[in-house]
Amino acid sequence: MADLSDQRLDPAQIAARAQRLAAATALVNDEARSRRDVEEAADLLGLSLPTVYRDMRAVREGCTEARDLKGRGGYPAGRSRLHPRVEEIIRTYLLRHHLVPAKPSVKDSWEKIGALCLAEGYGEPSRASIISRLQAIPLNFRLRRRIGKNAAEAKTPRPGKYVVQQPWEVWQIDHTLADVIVVDAVHRKPIGRPWLTLVMDVATRMVAGFYVSLQPPSLIRAAVAMDLAVQDKRAWLDDKRMAHVQAWPISGLPRWVHSDRASEFRSPWFVNALANQNTQTILRPSGRTRYGGHIERIIGAFMGKCRLLPGATHNSPATRGDYDSKSAARLTLDELQHWFAEQILGVYHNTAHMGLAGATPLQAWTAATAGLSPRMPANPQNFRFDLFPGVTRILGRQGIRLFNEDYCSSELIDAYLRGERSVVVKYDPRSLARIYVKIAKDRFVIVPLSRPNGEDRPLWLYHASRRIAAATGQRWDPLRARQAQRRAEVVIQQAAAKTDRARRQADRLRDDRIATAAPIIKAPPIDDDEGDWGLNA
């Protein structure tokens, strides 16, 4: 009976077996045949002597079809001809020394494996043997060991797709380091690559919000981008002098926010702020970038457009070639933000998308939301403050102490007199001039510094001043803290004309102050006889 594999024989193989059947039949019918006749038949057919004798036995047993003859015989397919110890040496070396980020060549590994085999008294395996053993290892495993998990993920087949039908159903959020170098606003010299944060509606591919700044990924980045995504965009467009851009109609709260497992998206402050608005969070499995494919593709498209900008870094040294990104940089952070706004609102939203059956994101959003109203936060300001990082503090007789500064207001005085003690304190790391204290179940109050100290300072500058104080061996106190903060700012401004890092810090300081500019509420004057709140200085 023929094996199942015989059903896949091609015409050439069937013809070859037909020749074998004819030769074997002739030998069986020749009663005067000798061993020499069998050997000549084997040479003529290019077969081994045992194969011809097996064919003759098959004819005697009634074989009449060429398909029923067995294969060519010989060494069993798939069985190694190498000694088991040589196989072990090859496999161990490939796993430990070849599949590594250093990416040694096959030639180098072959030579070293041969030396190891000779040292143990075995012969050297051929280069083809090394290559065949290497190719037997799964491709995604090889790529993961030599290039990284992202490369392995890109080579792994993933059937199916993630489909969302309704607007506001699932939004995705992610950060990326922009592929372009920006310059500072004062000296017009390069200060590095900014970060871009995007929020998008999966069903319609509309970008709901974005944020461009020098600040690395953090909770405040996620908060600013999500706040813009939810709010009505008309005020933002007017503030950015972009009233000429076609409407940006997307707003409201989504049902789900989908993200990777970055710490800011796992933060209880971020998760609880959304949950408080009946919006749940989904964290994709670690290392599974394909689960965020929609926003990854949009980010990739924008980074591709960045390559046309002066100062583009491109995606690798090979594609960059001799292009000097730093010398070519021309755009400030504000100009790059405006460019991204034009690309998103003017170009991307009005470009046909294959995933939308040829419709543009703006058309898809308009059609999908016809007759529907967005679900907005009952108190947009509370929602914004909920997204900010926070701490729990004890409300004392002198108000609240945070980052070695005292904060107080008339609302805190009233809360203290009512007996409130443990309160939730929210802050914007870009500005320590004020904090936001929840003194009632659903009410935040803005609380300024008890002793305003001149120019507003972000949290990163506060940490820089602490490092300066520690380096000079000074004891930390509020007065010296302010002096150290002023010295840190002076150092940054003086060095801005000399180093990229200082220019980056100076521009980040300017950007933080612009982003958080708001009138500072002065603390009310308190008579000495009414308590030692420390507000009289």
Side-chain angles (χ1 to χ4, degrees), residues 6 163 195 202 224 253 266 299 335 344 368 444 451 496:
D6 289 345
V163 178
W195 286 86
V202 175
V224 172
L253 290 161
R266 291 184 288 110
I299 286 176
E335 291 165 346
I344 293 170
F444 279 97
R451 300 179 179 87

Side-chain angles (χ1 to χ4, degrees), residues 433-449:
R434 61 190 69 81
I435 58 176
Y436 313 94
V437 184
K438 183 178 280 192
I439 60 173
K441 183 178 179 181
D442 291 314
R443 180 170 172 247
F444 279 97
V445 295
I446 301 174
V447 183
L449 285 164

Side-chain angles (χ1 to χ4, degrees), residues 114-132:
L116 292 173
C117 293
L118 289 174
E120 295 193 20
Y122 301 102
E124 295 179 285
S126 67
R127 183 172 178 173
S129 298
I130 304 302
I131 293 174
S132 66

Side-chain angles (χ1 to χ4, degrees), residues 178-181 193 307 309 311-328:
D179 290 341
V180 62
I181 294 174
R193 298 164 63 186
R307 294 170 196 164
L309 295 174
T313 58
H314 299 276
N315 59 353
S316 71
T319 56
R320 185 165 59 247
D322 295 333
Y323 181 75
D324 189 344
S325 302
K326 291 182 67 174
S327 298

Side-chain angles (χ1 to χ4, degrees), residues 75-307:
Y75 206 84
R79 182 184 298 177
S80 173
R81 295 176 181 267
L82 301 179
H83 191 279
R85 174 55 186 158
V86 174
E87 289 283 1
E88 183 182 354
I89 292 173
I90 295 174
R91 180 172 180 80
T92 301
Y93 189 91
L94 291 178
L95 292 177
R96 293 182 180 178
H97 305 289
H98 183 77
L99 298 178
V100 294
K103 304 180 186 66
S105 67
V106 173
K107 182 176 181 295
D108 290 338
S109 297
W110 170 45
E111 291 174 349
K112 290 184 171 62
I113 290 172
L116 292 173
C117 293
L118 289 174
E120 295 193 20
Y122 301 102
E124 295 179 285
S126 67
R127 183 172 178 173
S129 298
I130 304 302
I131 293 174
S132 66
R133 271 65 176 179
L134 184 60
Q135 291 177 341
I137 300 173
L139 177 61
N140 62 343
F141 179 82
R142 283 182 275 151
L143 290 173
R144 191 183 306 120
R145 295 288 294 270
R146 284 172 70 93
I147 304 177
K149 59 183 181 181
N150 290 336
E153 180 68 23
K155 296 289 186 180
T156 303
R158 301 296 180 190
K161 58 183 179 179
Y162 182 43
V163 178
V164 178
Q165 300 288 351
Q166 300 299 323
W168 295 298
E169 184 74 13
V170 178
W171 285 7
Q172 289 183 341
I173 182 171
D174 205 356
H175 316 289
T176 189
L177 192 59
D179 290 341
V180 62
I181 294 174
V182 295
V183 298
D184 70 294
V186 177
H187 304 91
R188 307 293 294 197
K189 292 185 177 180
I191 54 176
R193 298 164 63 186
W195 286 86
L196 169 68
T197 300
L198 278 180
V199 183
M200 66 161 291
D201 178 77
V202 175
T204 63
R205 311 300 199 270
M206 279 282 284
V207 174
F210 75 102
Y211 182 47
V212 182
S213 80
L214 296 169
Q215 185 179 44
S218 63
L219 178 55
I220 192 63
R221 284 198 70 90
V224 172
M226 186 57 64
D227 179 49
L228 175 60
V230 169
Q231 68 178 253
D232 185 280
K233 309 297 191 299
R234 285 172 291 187
W236 187 91
L237 292 172
D238 290 341
D239 180 63
K240 301 301 180 183
R241 299 178 180 177
M242 295 194 65
H244 64 283
V245 176
Q246 192 169 358
W248 194 2
I250 185 169
S251 62
L253 290 161
R255 182 181 177 188
W256 300 92
V257 172
H258 186 197
S259 69
D260 61 21
R261 306 183 72 84
S263 59
E264 59 270 21
F265 302 131
R266 291 184 288 110
S267 166
W269 301 112
F270 185 79
V271 173
N272 293 339
L274 293 174
N276 191 46
Q277 304 293 332
N278 198 25
T279 295
Q280 307 304 315
T281 54
I282 312 172
L283 299 176
R284 67 190 185 215
S286 179
R288 303 295 194 270
T289 55
R290 66 182 181 277
Y291 287 97
H294 298 87
I295 197 165
E296 294 283 352
R297 282 192 292 273
I298 291 180
I299 286 176
F302 287 135
M303 292 305 102
K305 292 181 179 294
C306 282
R307 294 170 196 164

